[in-house]
């Protein structure tokens, strides 16, 4: 078949601009879709690119259904996704277009996976959270589980921030200040939103039976990772790994994903989150806190340029004994997200590429070796350190 058309939604936003630059660097000529034709044309002109633009409401399923075609690859950076993203993924699933996005919001990820039957019937491949959230964890987890073999029943994945220029980045211990200076205001607002909403995990119920997706609040558990001579903690969050890894490794009894951005303050952040949870379930207070988080000092500042990412995955047996650990390092979350989305769209659009229809995690959708190759192109690499099981 001919090369697929790439449609980029949200190109004039913070993440969208980065994705567009990465696509252009790969020689792609995406079609921009959004409300303001003038803004999109100005953006293309500033980047010295001659691109097609389509004026449409990216939050209207009816508008997008008239734009998307079965041979398209849709890349959406229109967030917050829980509020604005469902029309785009639904339109893609129904029209048969392949779909990737930059979300990191657990409730939306769950909504996207719920479109599995619709997408499978139309031939669409729906792959939400195809950036720093949560491709590295899916990849690191799959590599650790593959190395551990059939004895593996559990996998724990942790996301950490590091900095370049401070020696061995795998030994850098992030601080609460890093969580502020290495992220955008939008990311911090999303974190507050995630604390408000219920998260989830994949585990076997205590009463027995098969493992399944279970609802848990953010920070329900603390995960501990021992790697490169350091012990790091992370509070549990929802991620696409809970849905993507069990389909690739059906023998899993549990999948846990943790956020360890806060360094030694992780336990304090977890305690504050748990104490605030009952209040935040009140709609009025939840809305007020979410709006306040969007207006905090520094909400418009750019992240520090020396940020780096570290992702650690440990595969364990049924008793919890570690069998294999894989760690990945890469650029800052925003650069990584743009690179991964550009690679994913370019690969999906190439003639002859076959993606698995339905809503899937990146391992099942692309295949482990293809995903590993794409991650390398996005400058996401395995570290050379050897973790000592304890």
């Amino acid at each position: 078949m001919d090369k697929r058309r790439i449609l980029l939604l949200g190109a004039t936003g913070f993440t969208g601009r980065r994705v567009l630059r990465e696509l252009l660097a790969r020689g792609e000529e995406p079609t921009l879709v959004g409300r303001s034709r003038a803004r999109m044309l100005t953006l293309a002109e500033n980047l010295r690119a001659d691109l097609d633009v389509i004026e449409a409401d990216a939050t209207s399923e009816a508008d997008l259904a008239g734009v998307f075609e079965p041979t398209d690859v849709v890349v959406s950076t229109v967030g917050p996704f829980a509020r604005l993203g469902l029309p785009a993924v639904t339109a893609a699933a129904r029209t048969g277009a392949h779909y990737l996005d930059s979300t990191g919001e657990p409730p939306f990820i769950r909504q996207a996976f719920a479109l599995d039957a619709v997408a499978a019937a139309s031939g669409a491949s729906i792959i939400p959270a195809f950036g720093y959230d949560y491709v590295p964890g899916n990849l690191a987890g799959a590599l650790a589980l593959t190395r551990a073999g059939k004895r593996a029943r559990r996998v724990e994945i942790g996301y950490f921030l590091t900095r370049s220029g401070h020696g061995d980045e795998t030994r850098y211990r992030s601080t609460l200040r890093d969580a502020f200076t290495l992220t955008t205001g939008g990311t911090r607002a999303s974190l507050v939103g995630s604390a408000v909403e219920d998260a989830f995990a994949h585990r076997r119920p205590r009463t027995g039976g098969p493992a399944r997706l279970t609802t848990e609040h953010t920070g329900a558990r603390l995960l501990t990772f021992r790697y490169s001579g350091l012990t790091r903690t992370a509070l549990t969050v929802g991620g696409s790994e809970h849905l993507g890894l069990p389909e690739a490794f059906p023998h899993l009894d549990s999948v846990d994903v943790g956020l360890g951005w806060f360094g030694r303050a992780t336990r304090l952040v977890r305690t504050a989150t748990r104490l605030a949870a009952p209040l935040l379930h009140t709609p009025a207070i939840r809305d007020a806190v979410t709006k306040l988080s969007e207006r905090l000092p520094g909400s418009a500042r750019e992240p520090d340029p020396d940020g780096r990412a570290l992702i650690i995955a440990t595969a364990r047996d049924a008793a919890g004994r570690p069998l294999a650990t894989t760690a990945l390092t890469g650029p800052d979350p925003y650069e990584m997200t743009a690179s991964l989305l550009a690679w994913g769209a370019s690969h999906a659009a190439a003639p002859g590429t076959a993606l698995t229809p339905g809503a899937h995690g990146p391992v099942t959708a692309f295949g482990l070796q293809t995903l590993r190759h794409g991650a390398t192109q996005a400058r996401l690499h395995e570290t050379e350190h050897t973790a000592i099981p304890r």
Side-chain angles (χ1 to χ4, degrees):
M1 63 176 288
D2 294 334
K3 184 178 179 66
R4 291 174 178 264
R5 181 177 63 162
I6 298 175
L7 302 179
L8 177 58
L9 280 59
T12 58
F14 178 83
T15 301
R17 291 194 305 271
R18 288 173 172 243
V19 175
L20 178 55
R21 290 191 188 99
E22 290 285 338
L23 284 167
L24 294 174
R26 299 184 66 90
E28 301 292 351
E29 297 180 345
T31 296
L32 309 185
V33 180
R35 289 182 179 179
S36 175
R37 179 180 181 84
R39 289 182 63 193
M40 292 185 290
L41 287 173
T42 298
L43 174 62
E45 182 179 350
N46 290 341
L47 295 174
R48 298 180 181 179
D50 183 16
L51 302 177
D52 292 334
V53 301
I54 298 176
E55 198 167 32
D57 184 352
T59 65
S60 166
E61 184 182 340
D63 271 19
L64 296 177
V67 173
F68 296 172
E69 298 178 1
T71 55
D72 288 338
V73 175
V74 176
V75 179
S76 177
T77 63
V78 179
F81 283 83
R83 182 159 55 90
L84 305 174
L86 193 58
V89 66
T90 303
R94 289 178 173 168
T95 60
H98 294 329
Y99 170 94
L100 306 99
D101 66 38
S102 59
T103 190
E105 302 166 38
F108 178 79
I109 294 170
R110 204 166 181 173
Q111 287 179 311
F113 270 84
L115 292 167
D116 177 55
V118 176
S122 71
S125 184
I126 304 298
I127 318 166
F130 201 82
Y132 171 82
D133 316 88
Y134 289 93
V135 170
N138 277 277
L139 177 57
L143 291 173
L145 289 166
T146 298
R147 288 163 184 161
K150 292 297 184 182
R151 291 175 56 203
R153 290 293 182 273
R154 298 163 52 184
V155 64
E156 297 170 354
I157 298 157
Y159 285 79
F160 304 92
L161 293 173
T162 68
R163 288 183 182 269
S164 60
H166 294 265
D168 184 351
E169 65 188 69
T170 66
R171 295 184 57 80
Y172 182 87
R173 193 188 296 274
S174 61
T175 66
L176 190 59
R177 180 175 179 273
D178 290 328
F180 180 82
T181 60
L182 296 177
T183 62
T184 65
T187 295
R188 295 190 292 276
S190 292
L191 284 176
V192 173
S194 296
V196 170
E197 302 290 345
D198 285 330
F200 46 80
H202 177 88
R203 64 181 78 262
R204 187 182 298 277
R206 292 180 182 177
T207 55
R212 56 181 174 82
L213 199 68
T214 61
T215 298
E216 291 185 352
H217 60 77
T218 299
R221 301 164 186 261
L222 273 179
L223 307 178
T224 300
F225 298 85
R226 297 179 178 90
Y227 190 77
S228 191
L230 295 179
T231 298
R232 297 176 172 87
T233 56
L235 56 90
T236 51
V237 296
S240 73
E241 292 93 336
H242 302 105
L243 296 132
L245 289 177
E247 64 180 350
F249 301 89
H251 57 283
L252 283 174
D253 289 338
S254 72
V255 177
D256 281 299
V257 179
L259 187 66
W261 288 4
F262 313 107
R264 290 186 173 91
T266 297
R267 294 179 184 274
L268 176 62
V269 172
R270 180 192 182 223
T271 299
T273 299
R274 298 184 71 181
L275 290 174
L279 292 174
L280 293 175
H281 278 288
T282 303
I285 295 178
R286 181 173 64 235
D287 292 344
V289 171
T290 301
K291 290 178 181 178
L292 176 63
S293 70
E294 296 172 350
R295 294 173 172 79
L296 290 175
S299 60
R301 69 180 294 277
E302 291 278 328
D304 289 354
D306 61 341
R308 298 277 295 168
L310 171 67
I311 299 89
I312 305 171
T314 299
R316 300 179 181 274
D317 64 14
R321 292 182 289 264
L323 301 174
T325 293
T326 296
L328 306 175
T329 59
D332 77 84
Y334 307 102
E335 180 182 345
M336 187 190 302
T337 293
S339 296
L340 285 168
L341 279 168
W343 170 81
S346 182
H347 180 78
T353 295
L355 300 183
T356 305
H360 301 292
V363 175
T364 296
F366 285 90
L368 180 55
Q369 292 310 313
T370 298
L371 183 65
R372 192 176 185 181
H373 174 70
T376 299
Q377 291 191 36
R379 298 175 291 284
L380 182 62
H381 302 283
E382 294 181 58
T383 69
E384 297 180 354
H385 290 271
T386 301
I388 301 175
R390 297 182 182 182

